Amino acid sequence: MDMKQLYSKAASKLKRSEIGELKSRAAGKPDILSLAEGVPAAELFPTEEIAKAAYKIISEDGARILQYGDCRGDKGLRTHIAHIMEKYAIHVQPDQVQITSGSMQSLDLCARLFLEEGDTVLVEDPTFIDAMNILAFAGGTIEGVPLDEEGMDLAVLEEKLRTNPRIKLIYIIPDYQNPTGLTWSQARRKAFMELVAQYNVVVLEDNPYGELTYGEAYQQAVKSYDTKDQVIFMGSLSKTFSPGIRIGWLAGEQSVIDALELVKEHCDLHSSIPDHSIAATYMNIYSYDDHVKYMCGVYKKRRDAFVEALHTYLPDFTFTVPKGGFFLWLRMPAGVDCMKFFDACLEEQVTCVPGTPFYTNKDNHEFMRLNFTGLNEEDLVRAVQRMAKAYAQLV
């Protein structure tokens, strides 16, 4: 029997991520240096402290936390998350926070709640490819709005909002964006909300990188300018605490969070209560803020070493130094195609991600996304040296 004949129309559209396809080509290669993975440095995980927190909560309260739990998530963890959001000038109560199994589920829940087949979703162009895939799978028609050095192009956004009544959602990553590393200016955030407030649309503000700031103050969130409860804020502990402990969250107006809780209940009842309890217990015993500060110090040194190496070994390439986050957006010299450069880098035992898949129309071949958090400073320099050899082969 061919089960594929019974797949839903939506499932028949599923395909592997283009980034996953590209990264699979590097699998098994010896001595590969990866600038492709958007991952935190595993050696920075507070493993001993997490182990102690896990032992404490399971030994003292295991019967409760191993049972079914609150669909909205552990109250203690939601209290800590409300504190984290104060950094972005967002003031919410714990009941306005819905815990999810990472940001991907946060997106999925919002898509299920709001989207119908044919609704339009506006995204930054370029943007996070997996977000486009989730929103499209739910029936959304994805349209891009270009970015400039301050954020989303508001002239293009206004034209789309004015002429397309089926726009339902706007998905944005204002802080240290994936893939560009761009940070929206405060003026652009304020102007964006003043424009959006004129229309009946929902804004999904995704902020997985906001705490990873390198010498800068925390950015005031787009949601902090929200006067009509249009913005749903999405956060994550994957980049600052552990991606294996699947904790993301949604925060917004109470009735919307109540509705999202109902959607989640119909998906999986609740996320992992032991994970919630471990994270909350860690934050009760240790200073989460000090841990994040330590990570920022390490990552800033890696960024600086990476930037210096790029200036030294690839002077023909251009980029803006990211103020935080995981990624640097490298522009190719004239005449160099990012896909061909990817192939050449692979031959030199270094991987990066071509920028093309991050665009809605897939026709831009000028950029590469580079991650600088997953390798130490010495390996970052070695990786750039290998990239320089690859570039020399092309030219």
Side-chain angles (χ1 to χ4, degrees):
M1 177 179 177
D2 184 5
M3 296 291 285
K4 292 182 180 179
Q5 296 178 5
L6 303 178
Y7 290 176
S8 69
K9 291 182 179 179
S12 67
K13 299 177 184 178
L14 287 173
K15 61 179 182 179
R16 190 177 184 188
S17 165
E18 294 165 274
I19 295 177
E21 291 284 356
L22 292 168
K23 290 193 292 188
S24 68
R25 292 173 55 187
K29 287 183 175 290
D31 194 33
I32 198 81
L33 292 175
S34 177
L35 302 173
E37 306 288 345
V39 297
E43 67 272 19
L44 301 186
F45 296 152
T47 52
E48 291 187 12
E49 292 86 352
I50 290 175
K52 291 177 182 178
Y55 178 81
K56 176 179 174 60
I57 192 65
I58 292 175
S59 62
E60 295 179 2
D61 201 15
R64 179 184 66 84
I65 69 167
L66 295 174
Q67 185 58 274
Y68 288 110
D70 186 346
C71 183
R72 190 152 301 189
D74 179 84
K75 181 69 174 287
L77 178 59
R78 287 188 279 120
T79 300
H80 283 294
I81 286 172
H83 168 74
I84 291 172
M85 293 182 62
E86 294 281 347
K87 299 176 182 180
Y88 312 119
I90 302 174
H91 311 293
V92 295
Q93 298 301 313
D95 283 347
Q96 292 176 267
V97 175
Q98 170 65 57
I99 307 296
T100 64
S101 297
S103 289
M104 298 290 280
Q105 188 182 51
S106 294
L107 266 173
D108 182 54
L109 296 180
C110 289
R112 290 172 187 248
L113 179 63
F114 290 107
L115 291 180
E116 297 178 295
E117 190 73 33
D119 285 338
T120 299
V121 181
L122 300 183
V123 301
E124 298 160 298
D125 210 11
T127 193
F128 178 38
I129 185 171
D130 290 333
M132 288 192 284
N133 290 340
I134 289 173
L135 295 166
F137 182 62
T141 299
I142 310 300
E143 292 187 10
V145 179
L147 295 167
D148 60 30
E149 66 278 1
E150 289 194 66
M152 186 175 271
D153 186 322
L154 296 189
V156 176
L157 175 62
E158 183 174 21
E159 175 67 14
K160 287 182 177 290
L161 289 170
R162 186 176 59 81
T163 58
N164 185 352
R166 292 219 61 177
I167 294 173
K168 185 74 71 70
L169 297 176
I170 305 174
Y171 172 75
I172 57 174
I173 315 171
D175 290 355
Y176 321 127
Q177 195 233 26
N178 180 2
T180 65
L182 174 73
T183 303
W184 288 28
S185 71
Q186 290 300 319
R188 184 64 55 88
R189 296 169 193 238
K190 185 173 185 292
F192 170 86
M193 281 312 307
E194 289 173 350
L195 170 61
V196 169
Q198 302 173 41
Y199 297 88
N200 190 32
V201 296
V202 175
V203 177
L204 304 181
E205 180 178 7
D206 195 1
N207 191 343
Y209 307 103
E211 291 185 271
L212 298 176
T213 178
Y214 309 140
E216 300 283 331
Y218 288 111
Q219 304 296 322
Q220 186 170 332
V222 169
K223 181 164 180 55
S224 70
Y225 297 105
D226 179 17
T227 60
K228 294 178 61 179
D229 291 325
Q230 289 176 274
V231 180
I232 300 173
F233 184 93
M234 299 166 49
S236 172
L237 293 183
S238 292
K239 308 302 186 293
T240 58
F241 187 61
S242 161
I245 295 179
R246 303 298 299 143
I247 294 176
W249 71 86
L250 295 155
E253 192 269 328
Q254 188 67 63
S255 66
V256 174
I257 297 303
D258 292 344
L260 286 164
E261 180 185 24
L262 186 61
V263 176
K264 181 168 174 58
E265 181 181 324
H266 285 74
C267 293
D268 63 359
L269 292 184
H270 57 75
S271 299
S272 169
I273 301 302
D275 282 1
H276 299 186
S277 299
I278 290 168
T281 301
Y282 171 91
M283 293 178 181
N284 289 338
I285 300 173
Y286 306 102
S287 173
Y288 168 78
D289 289 343
D290 284 350
H291 167 66
V292 172
K293 184 178 179 180
Y294 169 69
M295 293 182 78
C296 288
V298 173
Y299 289 160
K300 182 179 184 298
K301 290 179 180 178
R302 294 184 180 187
R303 181 206 62 180
D304 292 347
F306 192 49
V307 165
E308 183 178 354
L310 288 169
H311 284 311
T312 300
Y313 297 106
L314 289 171
D316 294 343
F317 292 67
T318 57
F319 56 89
T320 299
V321 178
K323 298 178 181 178
F326 274 21
F327 302 113
L328 183 145
W329 193 233
L330 189 70
R331 188 167 197 159
M332 306 287 101
V336 176
D337 180 273
C338 66
M339 299 303 296
K340 292 181 179 178
F341 185 59
F342 168 82
D343 290 332
C345 286
L346 201 56
E347 289 297 316
E348 296 295 336
Q349 302 293 87
V350 61
T351 61
C352 37
V353 179
T356 302
F358 296 98
Y359 285 92
T360 56
N361 55 17
K362 314 300 183 188
D363 64 356
N364 188 302
H365 300 272
E366 297 181 72
F367 294 93
M368 300 292 292
R369 190 195 75 174
L370 308 178
N371 168 263
F372 55 84
T373 58
L375 297 177
N376 62 37
E377 293 158 54
E378 294 77 15
D379 282 341
L380 285 168
V381 174
R382 289 174 58 215
V384 175
Q385 290 170 336
R386 293 182 184 185
M387 292 172 66
K389 290 181 181 178
Y391 176 54
Q393 295 297 322
L394 287 181
V395 299

